[in-house]
Amino acid sequence: MQKPTLRYLHLTPDSDFPVLEDLPPFKAIVIVDAEVEEMVMWASCRALVAAGCRYASVWGTQCEAWHDAIDDAYLEATNYDDVAPENSLVTSWHEDEELSEVFWFARHRAVHAAELRATLILHIADAPRRDELEATWRDA
C-alpha cells in the first residue's frame, strides 16, 4: 500500500500553474488568500484537474466560484461523459468554516471511490505559509 503523501504548492495570484508530475490521483485543499483574475482561476482549475485531482475542498476568497470552476473544468475534461466512480471528481467549498476544520474534513471525511493517498495543499496568496499550513494538516 502506498504511503500517504503531502505536497504544498504556493502560487501568487498571477502565477501560471506548473505541470505536476509524479503525483497519483489526489485530494486537494485549495486555499485562496488573494483575489485572482477569472482567467487565472479558470486556467488553474483546468490544470488542477489535468494533474489528477479527484477531490477538492476549497476555502477562502471566492471559494464558491473556485468550487464551481473546478467542477466545470472536470466536466470539460471528461467531455461531459459519465466516468467510473474511481475517476470521478468530488468537490466541496467551506465558506464559513475555520481552516483547521477544512483540514480535518479533508483528512477524515473526504472520501472517494478511489483510495486517494496523496494530498496537495494549493495555496494561492501573495506570500507562502508552507510550515503553518503543513502543521495545520498534521494537527487535523
Side-chain angles (χ1 to χ4, degrees), residues 45-125:
C45 291
R46 286 183 180 112
L48 187 65
V49 168
C53 181
R54 294 290 178 266
Y55 200 115
S57 295
V58 186
W59 181 89
T61 305
Q62 300 173 308
C63 66
E64 185 175 1
W66 278 85
H67 166 271
D68 293 347
I70 294 168
D71 279 345
D72 289 344
Y74 175 77
L75 291 171
E76 188 178 90
T78 60
N79 202 29
Y80 298 84
D81 287 335
D82 289 334
V83 297
E86 62 273 9
N87 294 322
S88 66
L89 174 72
V90 179
T91 56
S92 60
W93 81 91
H94 305 268
E95 187 172 35
D96 297 323
E97 296 175 40
E98 296 294 324
L99 186 54
S100 60
E101 295 172 349
V102 178
F103 278 90
W104 186 91
F105 175 83
R107 282 196 79 164
H108 303 287
R109 293 289 184 248
V111 295
H112 191 277
E115 186 175 346
L116 303 176
R117 307 281 297 158
T119 301
L120 172 70
I121 298 172
L122 173 57
H123 183 216
I124 302 163

